[in-house]
Amino acid sequence: MGFWLADKRTAQRSSFIQRFDPRFWTINFPRPMMASVVTTAPDALRIDAVFYNSDDLAGLVWDSEDRLDHPLLAYETLTDYSRLSWQFRWRSSGIMPLDAINGPTLTIEGRDAAGVTKSWYVRLWNYASGTPTDAQISIEFSKVDGGFLLPGEADPVFPENIDRLFISVIPPEYDEQGLRYATPKIGWIEMSAIRTDGQGAVLEIGDVMIPENGLAMATAYDDSFNQTPERLLRMIRALGYRGSINHYLGMSHYFRLESAGEGLYVTLSASQSGEEYAAINQPATMWHRDLITRAEAMDFTVILSLSYELFDAHCWHDWKQRAENGDPALTGWEPPSTLLSPANGNAMAYLQAIARAFVAIARDADASIRFQIGEPWWWIMPDKRICLYDAAATAALGVNSVGIASIEGPKTVQQEAMLDQAGAILAQSTATLLDAVRDEAGVVPVETLLLAYLPTILDEDAPEAKRANLPTGWATPAFDILQLEDYDWVIAGNRAATGSGIEMATQRLGYPVDQQHYFSGFVLAAEDRPVWTYMADAIADAKQRGTSEIHIWALPQVARDGFTYFQEEEEDVNAFDDIQFPLAIGRGASVSPGFSTNIVTTVSGHETRNSDWADARLEIDVGPGIRSEKELRDLIAFFRARRGAAKAFRFRDPYDYSSHDMVSAPTPSDQVLGNGDGQRTRFPLVKNYGDAAGEAQQRRITRPDPDSLQVAIDGQLVGNWSLAEAGMVAFVTPPPEDSEVTAGFLFDVPVRFASDQLSVSHTTFLAGDIAEVFLIEVKETS
């Protein structure tokens, strides 16, 4: 495998799109209103919106610079709109009409002729023909004016330096008072027959198609609500992802709201005209129907992921999980989300209604129904308090409800009983949720999935947390697929923790590897780009385990950092046969270590020497080791099995195969691998040659003899490690800060045949003419 963090398109393939292509518009708005945009034709789009306050305002946005697509797929930046004309048909309902004082306005943001930042406010009605709700609009950017009344209030637009433009989307009763509507307002806009002519009417756009990479993609509505589904699916497919799209429905954009006092809270009240479901808002309905329908047409299947997480500001107070002192369970996001109590019947009924709505959308679209319950758990606070004390949970636990000051450390018998019962309550809540999903699906088959976040559930400092948050009630066959996520371990490069965590979860719940999915990621901030290397390692490990699906979490980070994953034509595992070169053949070998040094001699006779290689590369002639016809036949058979030079293998250098001197028995203190820092868990095996106080030459050892390996920390032999790929020692827990990590081992050299042709003559062999058979060392990296 390999990956690339692309920052721009260079020689990759491109094509062209019309400027103002419907796929690349976005929608933006402040809470609590909701809106979405979908494409309805190659030249048309639709906006749906729900308004709760009289000052709610959304913007349909076109950016001159594409900041959302992957760099290989982005459209070109073009800020010059002069001599460009733009036409489209406008239709709307439940939106402020075009002829109103506060009617839809085209805001143009850029700079004037002097380079000063400026915004122009173009009243669309001034450029429309038709009715206030059904009109043809035509704009010539070199002639367009801001201002309400023309020509008296004309403010000519400078079209040569425009950063973005957006069209206001507001309710008919809009004012600046911010008064709460008695019932929410529902509206929509359709823009069709979108056409541009003149200079800059088309834009260059990336048109790459990465070969299928064997991975699946993960998305989230909260991250992508502002984009069209068609744009997202274009990216996913072009970047080589196939099969599943694991789509988190989110916790902050799908719900309907109702007023209660000064607040707005999630509701299951009867839907009104213009709404299809009591549980989810109409913009979310339209957006997800478009996503699911388009995904199925492209041979993707969407996994609908619903969690117990909800935007805190809109959550009913008695639904929230709480700590023993009454503090609500709040996440670290800003603004925060909260966790719904599995013991609260109203909260769980709400989740079931949400699940039914989304399943109905998939069912009615004749799509596959794959439903994931995402990370259901009893929340653990950053200070390690577990939230088992909301009123509903306390009532359900009854006499088993006891105090737990911290989830860390051992627990009393009474505390263990409480955690076990909490786990049973959690498992029952997920089972009931799945019953609602199956009931809504009817005769359509349903695949059920559970996503578990291992670093919290299997925290080694909290060994009893799994009683509540990885209950045995989830054991197979409770779900069809167990999905596992571990990004805290991944971003720290702690592959040993991942391995042991997945093994523990597998043993506890019993799902074989072919019934498991793995989520690799994620890279939270752009400055954390080096984490992609760890993610690629985690992908390789999951492939090695045989995991049935591997998901990248998530699309926004892939696009932001230009992550481009590809499979090389030949997997590394197929290029190396973990087999020893026949020792009887190798005993008489001649070994030649060599460096590459570039020597430049000046006119004065002085030399400048540059060493091109950090380590020597061995060349071995094994011909002198062949002493019998049987060994000759063995050599030919071994050569054919390796397909000549195609596959590498192990060779034991008869002059240098030990960490202790060259051939002595190894000891655990032979070679210093590095110093612990309290976080690092992986240390590559090395052998140092020369004076450590001077310029010692260091050699990476990628093929140690596993049975000979001994590891020590500060001189004490330890066993809390495993041997990972490419000679990497992976500790279960990081060695302490400032500790010295050492190791001793025997090792082999990875080599290949130097040629694809082996020339051996039986006659000359019997006459004592020994053929030259060269092996070349293969440099491996982790």
Side-chain angles (χ1 to χ4, degrees):
M1 70 84 195
F3 75 92
W4 173 34
L5 297 181
D7 58 0
K8 63 181 178 180
R9 190 170 63 256
T10 53
Q12 291 79 27
R13 178 176 174 176
S14 63
S15 59
F16 296 91
I17 60 168
Q18 176 185 224
R19 187 160 5 192
F20 303 140
D21 186 310
R23 292 174 294 177
F24 301 99
W25 287 83
T26 61
I27 192 80
N28 202 0
F29 50 87
R31 299 182 187 279
M33 75 161 291
M34 291 293 155
S36 68
V37 57
V38 300
T39 51
T40 55
D43 62 352
L45 58 82
R46 176 184 171 105
I47 305 111
D48 285 89
V50 54
F51 308 97
Y52 295 99
N53 298 315
S54 63
D55 62 347
D56 284 345
L57 182 151
L60 178 68
V61 182
W62 178 270
D63 283 299
S64 297
E65 180 183 358
D66 186 348
R67 297 182 179 90
L68 294 175
D69 283 300
H70 188 283
L72 298 182
L73 297 168
Y75 58 78
E76 69 170 305
T77 299
L78 190 61
T79 60
D80 187 354
Y81 288 66
S82 58
R83 293 177 290 282
L84 175 72
S85 65
W86 176 31
Q87 299 85 35
F88 59 90
R89 182 185 179 187
W90 171 283
R91 295 177 61 244
S92 63
S93 175
I95 301 294
M96 184 75 79
L98 288 167
D99 64 342
I101 292 178
N102 289 317
T105 299
L106 173 65
T107 299
I108 299 176
E109 297 177 342
R111 280 159 293 282
D112 62 17
V116 178
T117 300
K118 181 177 173 61
S119 295
W120 294 268
Y121 304 98
V122 179
R123 188 187 185 204
L124 288 179
W125 183 243
N126 289 336
Y127 298 90
S129 60
T131 72
T133 58
D134 188 347
Q136 185 69 31
I137 295 175
S138 180
I139 293 176
E140 294 184 52
F141 282 90
S142 292
K143 300 179 180 179
V144 70
D145 291 317
F148 184 77
L149 295 176
L150 301 181
E153 299 176 354
D155 181 14
V157 171
F158 182 69
E160 297 177 23
N161 205 344
I162 294 174
D163 294 324
R164 76 166 187 162
L165 49 86
F166 67 88
I167 298 172
S168 57
V169 180
I170 56 178
E173 299 85 355
Y174 176 85
D175 59 40
E176 296 180 358
Q177 301 303 310
L179 301 177
R180 180 72 45 78
Y181 292 132
T183 57
K185 305 297 182 181
I186 310 298
W188 57 265
I189 299 169
E190 289 181 349
M191 294 170 58
S192 59
I194 299 171
R195 188 176 76 252
T196 55
D197 294 293
Q199 177 178 293
V202 296
L203 300 175
E204 185 179 5
I205 189 170
D207 194 25
V208 304
M209 185 62 70
I210 306 297
E212 295 183 25
N213 58 28
L215 304 180
M217 179 52 70
T219 65
Y221 186 47
D222 289 345
D223 293 333
S224 306
F225 67 90
N226 61 326
Q227 301 179 63
T228 66
E230 189 172 4
R231 182 181 195 170
L232 302 176
L233 291 169
R234 170 184 176 265
M235 267 199 291
I236 293 170
R237 184 170 184 82
L239 294 174
Y241 300 92
R242 297 292 187 273
S244 301
I245 298 175
N246 199 97
H247 177 67
Y248 178 39
L249 300 170
M251 56 83 185
S252 62
H253 285 83
Y254 63 72
F255 40 63
R256 294 176 66 241
L257 298 172
E258 66 178 55
S259 295
E262 296 296 318
L264 282 167
Y265 297 90
V266 296
T267 184
L268 295 176
S269 62
S271 56
Q272 57 178 314
S273 176
E275 294 181 312
E276 297 178 54
Y277 297 100
I280 62 177
N281 62 60
Q282 191 61 19
T285 298
M286 297 295 289
W287 194 94
H288 283 89
R289 179 176 291 125
D290 191 63
L291 173 74
I292 292 169
T293 302
R294 291 183 183 278
E296 285 285 326
M298 296 171 67
D299 292 326
F300 288 110
T301 59
V302 177
I303 299 173
L304 299 170
S305 167
L306 182 63
S307 77
Y308 283 39
E309 188 178 4
L310 192 62
F311 190 64
D312 180 66
H314 300 316
C315 182
W316 298 96
H317 298 305
D318 62 332
W319 290 11
K320 302 176 185 180
Q321 296 179 27
R322 294 185 181 273
E324 193 170 3
N325 70 343
D327 288 344
L330 298 179
T331 64
W333 301 111
E334 186 58 42
S337 53
T338 190
L339 278 295
L340 301 180
S341 171
N344 187 292
N346 291 332
M348 294 300 99
Y350 175 76
L351 278 188
Q352 292 161 28
I354 297 296
R356 284 180 177 274
F358 284 110
V359 167
I361 292 172
R363 179 200 63 211
D364 295 344
D366 294 325
S368 302
I369 298 179
R370 307 177 73 191
F371 187 84
Q372 177 217 89
I373 302 180
E375 297 178 357
W377 51 20
W378 296 98
W379 186 248
I380 296 173
M381 299 281 207
D383 60 6
K384 304 305 179 181
R385 289 178 294 155
I386 189 168
C387 294
L388 291 172
Y389 299 95
D390 60 273
T394 298
L397 291 167
V399 296
N400 280 336
S401 183
V402 297
I404 298 179
S406 170
I407 193 62
E408 292 186 337
K411 296 290 171 274
T412 66
V413 172
Q414 293 80 8
Q415 290 171 331
E416 289 180 355
M418 180 184 183
L419 294 172
D420 285 337
Q421 188 177 351
I425 293 170
L426 180 61
Q428 183 57 54
S429 74
T430 58
T432 304
L433 180 54
L434 292 184
D435 287 342
V437 167
R438 295 188 184 99
D439 181 69
E440 189 65 38
V443 297
V444 179
V446 175
E447 182 182 59
T448 61
L449 306 95
L450 171 73
L451 176 62
Y453 182 64
L454 298 183
T456 295
I457 293 173
L458 300 179
D459 184 352
E460 65 177 8
D461 294 327
E464 305 307 330
K466 62 181 176 291
R467 294 176 179 269
N469 285 335
L470 196 67
T472 55
W474 287 344
T476 182
F479 294 84
D480 296 315
I481 299 291
L482 174 64
Q483 297 180 306
L484 301 173
E485 188 175 12
D486 65 336
Y487 63 80
D488 272 5
W489 293 336
V490 172
I491 63 178
N494 194 346
R495 296 163 81 175
T498 293
S500 60
I502 289 176
E503 182 179 358
M504 186 181 299
T506 301
Q507 292 175 352
R508 184 168 177 83
L509 299 184
Y511 294 87
V513 70
D514 61 355
Q515 288 179 246
Q516 292 182 17
H517 292 176
Y518 176 71
F519 283 68
S520 180
F522 65 94
V523 184
L524 180 61
E527 57 266 27
D528 298 328
R529 285 164 63 96
V531 170
W532 288 108
T533 298
Y534 296 146
M535 287 180 60
D537 290 340
I539 293 167
D541 292 343
K543 287 184 176 182
Q544 186 67 31
R545 290 192 299 270
T547 307
S548 62
E549 285 190 14
I550 303 168
H551 296 258
I552 295 296
W553 181 260
L555 183 60
Q557 289 75 34
V558 166
R560 180 197 67 205
D561 295 340
F563 180 70
T564 310
Y565 184 89
F566 49 89
Q567 292 196 79
E568 296 171 333
E569 290 185 5
E570 182 177 280
E571 294 283 354
D572 290 341
V573 68
N574 295 328
F576 187 90
D577 285 345
D578 197 7
I579 187 172
Q580 189 77 44
F581 190 77
L583 291 177
I585 295 177
R587 286 189 186 120
S590 63
V591 179
S592 303
F595 284 91
S596 173
T597 304
N598 183 24
I599 302 174
V600 177
T601 304
T602 67
V603 175
S604 63
H606 293 88
E607 290 184 347
T608 299
R609 295 179 294 275
N610 294 315
S611 181
D612 296 331
W613 296 350
D615 190 10
R617 189 182 193 189
L618 296 185
E619 182 177 284
I620 307 111
D621 181 7
V622 298
I626 304 170
R627 288 291 180 263
S628 69
E629 289 190 67
K630 179 182 182 304
E631 290 178 343
L632 179 61
R633 291 193 296 269
D634 287 344
L635 171 64
I636 295 171
F638 191 83
F639 178 84
R640 292 179 64 89
R642 307 289 81 73
R643 294 177 173 85
K647 293 191 176 186
F649 48 90
R650 288 177 178 264
F651 176 78
R652 183 66 57 91
D653 180 348
Y655 308 111
D656 182 8
Y657 58 82
S658 173
S659 60
H660 190 184
D661 296 329
M662 303 296 274
V663 296
S664 301
T667 71
S669 59
D670 289 343
Q671 301 293 330
V672 177
L673 307 187
N675 293 318
D677 59 8
Q679 295 183 346
R680 182 183 177 191
T681 59
R682 297 170 65 83
F683 293 80
L685 291 177
V686 296
K687 182 175 181 181
N688 294 287
Y689 296 81
D691 184 4
E695 295 186 5
Q697 190 261 321
Q698 189 174 84
R699 178 185 189 182
R700 273 284 279 117
I701 304 299
T702 59
R703 296 291 168 178
D705 179 349
D707 294 333
S708 70
L709 182 55
Q710 306 168 61
V711 178
I713 297 178
D714 288 336
Q716 298 298 312
L717 199 64
V718 294
N720 63 332
W721 56 271
S722 61
L723 178 60
E725 74 293 333
M728 191 73 70
V729 174
F731 288 91
V732 176
T733 55
E737 189 170 359
D738 296 329
S739 61
E740 185 179 68
V741 180
T742 59
F745 45 84
L746 303 178
F747 63 93
D748 298 311
V749 183
V751 299
R752 63 169 173 81
F753 284 99
S755 171
D756 278 326
Q757 185 172 4
L758 183 64
S759 299
V760 178
S761 167
H762 187 266
T763 302
T764 56
F765 173 75
L766 292 178
D769 187 2
I770 306 301
E772 292 181 333
V773 182
F774 287 103
L775 308 179
I776 298 293
E777 182 178 2
V778 175
K779 292 300 181 183
E780 297 181 306
T781 58
S782 57

